[in-house]
Structures are given as structure tokens and as C-alpha cells.
Amino acid sequence: MMNLTAVSLGPKQLHSLMCCAAALLLSACQQTQIVFTPTEPPSLASFDTPNSLSTHLPESGVIIPVTDPMFSDEVHTELDLPYQLHRLALVQSNSSAINRISLAAISPQTSFNNPDILQLALQEKARALAIHLADPCLETFSIRVSLHSINLSLTCPDDVNHIYGLLVQFWQSDAFVDAATAPVDIDNIRRQLKLNKHLNAFSGAEIDKVWREKLLGPEHPYNKVLNNDELFDSLSLKQLQQIQQQAVSQAQWHLFLPNSQAKNVEFDLQASIKQWPMLTTSLPKSLSKSSPHADKLETTTPKQTKKIYLIDAPGSVQTQVRLGYRIDYRIGYRIDHSINHAIGHTVDSELGDTSETSQLSSQEVALGCRSLSALMGRSFSGRLYYDLREKRGLTYGIYGQCANAPLSSSIKFYGSTAIEHTGAFVAGILDHLALVKTQSASQGEINALKTYLMGEDVLSQDNSIQRENQYLQQIATGLTQVDVQKLNAELQALTPKRLQQLANGAFSGEPLIILRGDIDKIIPDLTSKLPEWQLERVKVD
């Protein structure tokens, strides 16, 4: 039987017990000190094929995309069509009863003004039309918006003339206000714009806004046509109408129809002209159509130095990383432009004297942007993913992005890492960027890169939507089908030396580095591992 007799404690014993309890509480509340991960030299994967398998595997790097055009252009000289008419070159056998119609606005030389606002407004218009007309076809509405293109699509079994009639309603001058054609809820659009701003701040997407500002400079057109906070708060139907009409006035129009052999595809050209939206309002000076070369004006391009920009996110358990280069003005080696002879010999001899510089053509920028972003950041087989995730466990994923736009091209590497890995993660990326400039890739790695890039093209050609998007991107960036074929030829002829020269051009100078995380926790690690880099806090509005 237990003895439950009470035990009395003296004053000294009670004081000692209280001190012990207080010490235990303090030790439990004390924050665990962060142990930062050490840096390691970069590690590369081996692409050597074992001798036992080499005779049984197909030759790599020889995938050649289909050169047959995805679309055929219809020309009707007897009519003054407001759009360029394209038809699918082949009948889609797997969906012969479904017609996909796309109406695309392209502005190759001048970016659209407030495309983020216009995207939400067009989505709201689709919702209003679907309720007003009760047309099932509107439930398939899709929109793809970039700074230079706005593509609206509907996919349904209806007659193409009916689908076309629905699409042009989005661009009529009274589309957002006319009660007969379902006016939009301007209050809801304003709420969505404000909500998106808060969601971006909460999710960390604000780092990409800072990336654009630091990469291009505040006066670059791409930083002046987006995120108009003042307009988000005061947007009216009249202002929305002006934004829409400015887009209509500056756009080149492209209409995509199914193959003429498909069902329900006989298109009434005369009726389409009568339905075409007309500009009926005069644009105010602030929203008037820009001159063709408005975005070509000289802007001050920020010169990157050894500086890391920090966005504070107190309490964050991870650090977001953006690191990369603007390459449209940075690559400066000499290139022989006669790349039409690329098939049949290597491109190394075409580089000539690298001490002489010249501005790159659009396809040359595309070659460096695409090949280097894939070499370093193509997920599992990219250098950064292999080393920083598979070998060292510093991240769940790190990826490369080639942004090849008409007014700027850049390569960006992005990912997230734990607080204790921040310094090692950033240093690891920098080490790999330095390595690719000083050490040639193996032929096995080049073959794997070619296979990846060319295979990516082949897969995209099996999807009419992707081919349509690629076609619009080519128009926006000024690439012709011949240019694309030349680019593929250069990829086929890519050598280790050529890739190294591309890397030395693209990755010259200092990269732009932006981090978002708990600054107070990561600064000691960054200062220790990257002592030559200056740290600067950035406040995000």
C-alpha cells in the first residue's frame, strides 16, 4: 500500500525547487541554434554509356522535328480581311466532331498596356456571357495572355461561324457596358485585382516582381504596363473600355480555324467582316496607341554588381531564390550569320575571332537562352537539380527558365531551400555557373541535351494547342519558320566548345540574385559563405 503522507518543504528547499523549474522553462523556450550547411565543390553526372549497352542503344541527339507546317495560311485577295486566316494543316481524327477556334491579338513591337487588368476583365465577360446566353460553348472559354499576345479560344461541336460570333463579342467597343451583351461587374474585377495582389504577397510571388524591376530597370516597358496599383483601386468601366480599345487598335489579328475538311467548318468570310469590332471611341492621350517604336526607346539598363537583394519574410521556414542574367544585350561574341550552312559541319569554325563583337540576331539569342537554361535547369537531368537535390539534398527542386520576349531575353534559375541551406544553395548555383564557363561539357551530356530539346519539340507538335502557342510566340519574337528550322539545325550541330562559348557570353558579368526569406536568420550564413557580396534589403509595396 502506497504511503500518501504529505512531506513539508522548508523555505530553502522550496526556493531551490522553484529555481530548477525556472531553469527548465528557460531552456525549453530557448531557440535552437541553426547549424548552417557547409559548401561543397560542384558535382556533375556521368553521361557515359556502359560498353555492354552502347551497341544496343539508338544514337542520341539525332531527333529531327517534323518540318511540315501545322497551319496553312488562307489568302483572299478579293477581300480586305481584318485578320490573317490560318487553318489546321491536318484533320484532327481524334476529335473530328469538336471545333477549336482561336482569335489572337499580337503586338510584336509594343507591349499591351495593363494586360493583367484586361485578362481579368475578359474572364469576367466570359462568365457574364455564359450566364446571359446559356450557351454551353462558352464553358470552354480559355484565355492565354502575355505582354505581347492575347489569345481567346472556344472548343465545342458548334458551327465555326457561331463560335467566331461569340469570340468577336469580347472585342466589341461596348463589350463591357452594353446590357444586351452582358455587362461585366466592375466591382468584382476591382476586388479580384486587389485580392490577387494580396495573394501574391502571401505566396511569395512578389519576388518575381522585384526580379523584373532589378533585371530591366523601372523605366523598361515591361515594368510600366503591369501592376498599376492606382488603377486597381479606381478602375471604372470607361477606363476598362479604353484599355480594351487601345489593345484592339494596336493589335495584329490572327484567326485559327479547323482544317477545311472537318465537319461544320465552312466559314462565311463576308459575314465575319460585318461582325468585326470597330473602334468607335477616341482614345485619351494617356491611353492612345503608341508609335511602332515606342518600346524601342533607350532605357537605363541596371548594371549588375556583386549584390544580393533580400526580401524579408519573418518566420519563413524556407528561402526563395531567383538567380540569373539578362542576355539580349549581354552576349557579345562574334558569330558568322551564315547559319544556313550549319547542316553538314560543326558550328565551331563559324565563331571566328571572339574579340570582335556584334549584336545577336533573334535566333542566336534563342539558341543560347534555350540550350543553357536546359543544360543547367531541366529538372532531373539538369546540372543544378542533379547536384543540389539528388547529391546534396539542399532543395526539393531547382529549375531553369528561358524568357525570350521581343523586348528582353533572360535566363532565370529558381527554387527554394531550407533556412540552414541558404548560403550553400546560392553558392552551389554560382559555382555551377562558373564551372560551365571554364570546363567543356562531355559529348555524352551534349547528346543528352540535344535529345531533350529536340524531343520536347516533337512532343509539342502532337498538341495543336501547343503548336498554336508556339506559332504566336514566333510571330511576337519575329521568328519565321525558316528561322526555327535554322535554330533546330544549330541545336543538331551543337558541340561542347560551342556550348562553352555560349555560356561565356550569356553568363558574363555578375548575375542578379534575389532572395526572399527570414533575413535575420540567413544573413550570418550569407555573410560567411559569400563575403564578397553586398547584401541589400528590398521593401516590396
Side-chain angles (χ1 to χ4, degrees):
M1 185 180 224
M2 294 182 64
N3 186 357
L4 301 178
T5 305
V7 178
S8 60
L9 297 175
K12 291 185 177 180
Q13 292 174 310
L14 185 60
H15 181 268
S16 299
L17 186 60
M18 292 178 63
C19 289
C20 291
L24 287 172
L25 287 172
L26 287 174
S27 62
C29 295
Q30 186 176 11
Q31 187 177 12
T32 304
Q33 185 176 4
I34 300 175
V35 179
F36 293 110
T37 305
T39 58
E40 294 181 19
S43 175
L44 300 180
S46 173
F47 289 86
D48 296 333
T49 304
N51 293 331
S52 58
L53 297 176
S54 59
T55 57
H56 302 286
L57 294 176
E59 184 180 355
S60 59
V62 294
I63 298 176
I64 301 178
V66 178
T67 56
D68 295 336
M70 182 67 177
F71 304 98
S72 60
D73 296 344
E74 281 194 13
V75 179
H76 298 270
T77 55
E78 73 281 6
L79 297 174
D80 184 18
L81 296 178
Y83 48 77
Q84 173 64 55
L85 181 57
H86 312 276
R87 282 194 183 270
L88 276 175
L90 299 174
V91 178
Q92 301 291 339
S93 58
N94 60 338
S95 57
S96 57
I98 303 297
N99 292 321
R100 173 182 167 85
I101 312 297
S102 297
L103 182 59
I106 307 292
S107 180
Q109 295 179 318
T110 307
S111 53
F112 286 114
N113 197 28
N114 299 301
D116 45 353
I117 294 177
L118 195 53
Q119 179 175 7
L120 273 179
L122 291 170
Q123 290 172 333
E124 179 69 15
K125 176 64 178 179
R127 187 190 68 83
L129 276 175
I131 296 174
H132 180 75
L133 300 177
D135 191 328
C137 197
L138 287 164
E139 297 178 7
T140 69
F141 176 81
S142 67
I143 179 172
R144 184 179 179 89
V145 176
S146 73
L147 290 166
H148 292 269
S149 66
I150 303 172
N151 189 18
L152 309 183
S153 303
L154 291 171
T155 307
C156 62
D158 290 354
D159 176 80
V160 293
N161 295 286
H162 171 71
I163 302 174
Y164 169 85
L166 293 175
L167 286 174
V168 294
Q169 288 194 44
F170 290 88
W171 295 110
Q172 300 294 347
S173 59
D174 58 355
F176 299 132
V177 297
D178 186 15
T181 59
V184 299
D185 185 344
I186 190 66
D187 293 328
N188 189 46
I189 294 174
R190 282 196 298 264
R191 285 193 295 268
Q192 286 294 326
L193 289 168
K194 295 177 184 178
L195 178 62
N196 288 347
K197 179 181 178 181
H198 290 299
L199 290 176
N200 288 339
F202 179 77
S203 65
E206 59 191 4
I207 191 174
D208 292 313
K209 178 183 177 183
V210 176
W211 167 267
R212 285 195 310 271
E213 291 174 351
K214 298 299 181 183
L215 183 76
L216 304 175
E219 296 304 312
H220 192 280
Y222 290 167
N223 285 323
K224 299 181 73 175
V225 299
L226 291 170
N227 302 312
N228 190 333
D229 292 339
E230 182 178 347
L231 199 54
F232 287 179
D233 294 330
S234 61
L235 184 66
S236 65
L237 283 171
K238 183 178 180 181
Q239 289 173 317
L240 185 57
Q241 184 183 28
Q242 291 168 351
I243 293 172
Q244 178 225 38
Q245 289 293 283
Q246 181 182 8
V248 171
S249 69
Q250 75 183 65
Q252 300 173 9
W253 294 91
H254 297 262
L255 178 63
F256 295 87
L257 298 179
N259 185 276
S260 57
Q261 301 300 316
K263 297 179 179 180
N264 300 324
V265 295
E266 185 176 346
F267 190 58
D268 191 334
L269 294 171
Q270 294 283 5
S272 74
I273 296 174
K274 294 178 181 179
Q275 290 178 278
W276 190 255
M278 301 294 293
L279 286 173
T280 58
T281 59
S282 59
L283 300 178
K285 187 175 181 181
S286 60
L287 289 174
S288 62
K289 181 179 178 181
S290 303
S291 64
H293 301 288
D295 284 351
K296 300 289 185 180
L297 299 176
E298 291 295 328
T299 58
T300 302
T301 300
K303 179 177 175 57
Q304 304 303 334
T305 59
K306 284 187 175 293
K307 182 181 292 186
I308 299 176
Y309 297 97
L310 304 174
I311 302 172
D312 196 15
S316 176
V317 297
Q318 65 177 5
T319 303
Q320 291 176 279
V321 178
R322 302 290 186 270
L323 190 154
Y325 298 85
R326 182 177 178 184
I327 64 171
D328 48 342
Y329 74 98
R330 188 178 295 278
I331 304 179
Y333 49 81
R334 178 183 179 273
I335 291 183
D336 185 346
H337 289 260
S338 58
I339 60 174
N340 54 318
H341 300 298
I343 299 179
H345 65 277
T346 64
V347 193
D348 297 342
S349 60
E350 297 177 356
L351 288 168
D353 180 8
T354 56
S355 63
E356 184 181 348
T357 62
S358 64
Q359 186 174 358
L360 292 181
S361 67
S362 56
Q363 60 262 37
E364 291 162 348
V365 169
L367 175 66
C369 186
R370 190 176 176 206
S371 59
L372 290 169
S373 62
L375 175 79
M376 305 296 292
R378 65 181 190 278
S379 188
F380 291 95
S381 54
R383 288 189 173 190
L384 296 176
Y385 197 102
Y386 169 79
D387 187 18
L388 302 183
R389 171 177 169 156
E390 296 299 318
K391 298 291 290 185
R392 299 170 58 186
L394 302 182
T395 180
Y396 279 114
I398 177 168
Y399 310 95
Q401 180 186 61
C402 167
N404 189 19
L407 304 182
S408 176
S409 295
S410 62
I411 297 178
K412 175 174 67 178
F413 303 104
Y414 61 96
S416 298
T417 188
I419 291 175
E420 62 269 22
H421 300 327
T422 301
F425 187 62
V426 175
I429 301 173
L430 292 173
D431 288 343
H432 273 281
L433 293 176
L435 181 65
V436 74
K437 294 189 292 183
T438 58
Q439 178 178 314
S440 296
S442 67
Q443 188 59 52
E445 186 175 20
I446 294 294
N447 290 341
L449 176 64
K450 292 180 187 180
T451 303
Y452 171 82
L453 292 174
M454 307 307 283
E456 195 176 45
D457 278 346
V458 171
L459 289 175
S460 68
Q461 289 164 3
D462 286 336
N463 187 309
S464 60
I465 298 176
Q466 290 188 28
R467 287 286 293 272
E468 183 180 288
N469 292 332
Q470 285 183 352
Y471 185 85
L472 295 175
Q473 173 68 9
Q474 290 174 23
I475 296 173
T477 54
L479 287 174
T480 66
Q481 188 61 31
V482 173
D483 294 329
V484 173
Q485 292 175 5
K486 289 179 179 180
L487 175 60
N488 288 336
E490 286 233 51
L491 288 174
Q492 292 287 353
L494 194 64
T495 65
K497 181 179 179 182
R498 166 71 157 171
L499 187 65
Q500 187 178 358
Q501 289 169 323
L502 286 169
N504 275 280
F507 299 153
S508 63
E510 305 299 342
L512 170 63
I513 304 177
I514 301 177
L515 309 182
R516 180 183 182 275
D518 195 322
I519 290 181
D520 293 336
K521 293 180 181 178
I522 63 178
I523 279 182
D525 190 29
L526 294 171
T527 304
S528 172
K529 293 186 173 66
L530 301 166
E532 70 277 16
W533 287 79
Q534 180 184 353
L535 306 180
E536 180 178 315
R537 296 184 182 226
V538 177
K539 185 178 180 180
V540 181
D541 297 331

